[in-house]
Amino acid sequence: MSTSNPILLRVSNKKAYVWDIDDVAKLRVCHHICGVLAGTLPHLSQQNVFLGVPLLLMPEEVVLLVEKGLALLVDDKNAHHDPSAPALRKWDSDRLRVVERQLALAEEHEAKEALNPDRAMSEKAILKRKEREEKRARSVQPNTAETSQEIPEESLFANDSVPNLEGHSESLRAESPHRSSVTVPPQTFTSPYTIQVPGASSTFEWYDQSTHSFTTLAAAREAGIWDYPATPAEYARCGVFRDLWEQGYFMGGGIKFGGEYLVYPGDPLRYHSHFVASAIESPEAALRPLEIVAHGRLGTGTKKAHLLCEWDEDKESVTYYSIEWAGFG
């Protein structure tokens, strides 16, 4: 299998990433390769539930895509060359132009807000209501001798201003020994206009991937950017992954369920996984009875069957054993 437009897997520290959102969609829809999104969303930099590009691929996914001719590996670090002075000046002028555009959008938004006082008043009303709720919550707390001498926060933050407490720190400690500082309520700032975030660095003039791309794992291994698989266990994982993939399954990481992969009958956004797969490196590999019991109980407890996938390097085939826990009565 080959393609005239291979997907670029940009390698950094021997991990492969996909930065193009169209390639991310193509991998999932056309090649049932999911990966894991590992990037931060620009407007939600503190959360870690919904992430963005780049897409981080499992090593087995990378090996499969390269062996099938669906992707090629790019040495991302060495593809970046030292920029020339004219290229840097052009990049800086483009950056300043974007900044000026953002400032113009901000001024335009402020002008619209000035012409629409009703919206501003509604926002102020929301803030006032929030302040009243916080005061009400504080008022229901029991008053004690230790807190009776504290300075009321209403007086500290009168007229929406915070006084300079640096010269009064000693007197505050004397009046209230259990109060070491005054906490200013946090404020939330939201951006009223779109923030332009620079795209991937592959668009820079000093980025050239033509001499740092590899279509085979052997070439990438020789260049020192990729070394997976290297052990019998890693070869077994790649063989098992490829065999399940060729049968039409989607795979995800299965470490939380005691295996190498979670096996889905379709897109994980639509289906639950049916199996947890563990790769056994050879037919002669030892397997302890306690492992079989543990896999069976864990799989059944999570409403899955556990697959023991025995890889035979000589025959390049996989033998599957399904384990489910059954009660005896």
Side-chain angles (χ1 to χ4, degrees):
M1 184 185 297
S2 62
T3 177
S4 58
N5 189 21
I7 295 172
L8 302 180
L9 308 181
R10 307 185 191 278
V11 180
S12 178
N13 294 327
K14 298 185 179 179
K15 293 183 179 180
Y17 300 88
V18 180
W19 285 90
D20 193 321
I21 192 64
D22 292 330
D23 287 341
V24 172
K26 183 178 179 180
L27 283 173
R28 194 177 193 104
V29 175
C30 301
H31 307 310
H32 49 267
I33 294 293
C34 298
V36 178
L37 291 171
T40 300
L41 299 179
H43 289 282
L44 300 171
S45 58
Q46 298 300 320
Q47 62 83 40
N48 57 3
V49 178
F50 300 101
L51 300 176
V53 292
L55 184 77
L56 174 62
L57 298 180
M58 292 190 297
E60 295 86 350
E61 292 173 326
V62 175
V63 172
L64 172 74
L65 291 170
V66 174
E67 288 182 343
K68 294 291 185 179
L70 301 173
L72 54 86
L73 297 171
V74 178
D75 185 0
D76 201 55
K77 177 182 177 181
N78 292 321
H80 289 84
H81 303 283
D82 293 334
S84 61
L88 273 180
R89 285 194 294 269
K90 181 179 182 300
W91 171 83
D92 191 55
S93 63
D94 293 341
R95 180 183 63 84
L96 292 176
R97 192 178 304 112
V98 171
V99 172
E100 292 172 356
R101 175 58 179 164
Q102 294 184 49
L103 293 175
L105 290 173
E107 294 176 355
E108 181 181 352
H109 176 81
E110 292 176 357
K112 290 181 179 179
E113 287 293 332
L115 297 175
N116 186 12
D118 294 337
R119 180 177 178 183
M121 288 300 295
S122 64
E123 293 178 353
K124 289 182 179 179
I126 293 174
L127 291 176
K128 290 288 186 182
R129 184 174 61 182
K130 185 176 179 180
E131 290 176 0
R132 287 196 299 269
E133 292 175 353
E134 291 177 352
K135 292 178 181 178
R136 189 179 301 111
R138 289 194 297 268
S139 64
V140 299
Q141 296 178 356
N143 294 325
T144 62
E146 294 182 352
T147 59
S148 60
Q149 297 180 0
E150 293 183 1
I151 298 176
E153 292 189 5
E154 291 80 4
S155 63
L156 288 175
F157 304 106
N159 301 323
D160 296 331
S161 63
V162 181
N164 183 6
L165 301 176
E166 182 178 357
H168 305 280
S169 59
E170 295 298 331
S171 60
L172 286 175
R173 293 193 188 96
E175 294 178 3
S176 181
H178 296 279
R179 180 169 181 162
S180 59
S181 62
V182 177
T183 302
V184 179
Q187 296 182 359
T188 302
F189 297 92
T190 58
S191 174
Y193 57 95
T194 302
I195 297 177
Q196 299 289 339
V197 179
S201 59
S202 58
T203 59
F204 295 162
E205 292 184 10
W206 54 86
Y207 183 87
D208 182 15
Q209 66 190 32
S210 59
T211 58
H212 301 281
S213 300
F214 307 94
T215 58
T216 64
L217 294 175
R221 190 188 302 271
E222 185 177 354
I225 68 167
W226 192 259
D227 56 10
Y228 194 97
T231 65
E234 292 174 351
Y235 277 103
R237 292 180 181 181
C238 292
V240 170
F241 187 92
R242 180 174 61 250
D243 190 77
L244 290 170
W245 181 85
E246 290 175 346
Q247 295 182 51
Y249 290 104
F250 283 69
M251 267 74 68
I255 187 65
K256 291 183 179 180
F257 296 89
E260 270 77 45
Y261 315 112
L262 287 177
V263 184
Y264 299 84
D267 194 311
L269 294 176
R270 299 180 59 191
Y271 298 91
H272 289 290
S273 58
H274 287 185
F275 306 101
V276 181
S278 295
I280 303 175
E281 60 187 56
S282 72
E284 291 79 22
L287 185 64
R288 295 176 296 177
L290 187 59
E291 293 182 59
I292 300 176
V293 174
H295 290 321
R297 296 190 65 172
L298 179 59
T300 303
T302 55
K303 298 182 180 180
K304 299 170 178 48
H306 198 99
L307 286 181
L308 295 177
C309 312
E310 184 183 87
W311 170 249
D312 191 327
E313 182 68 27
D314 297 331
K315 298 180 181 180
E316 294 188 351
S317 62
V318 184
T319 304
Y320 297 97
Y321 301 94
S322 177
I323 302 174
E324 294 183 61
W325 186 257
F328 295 92

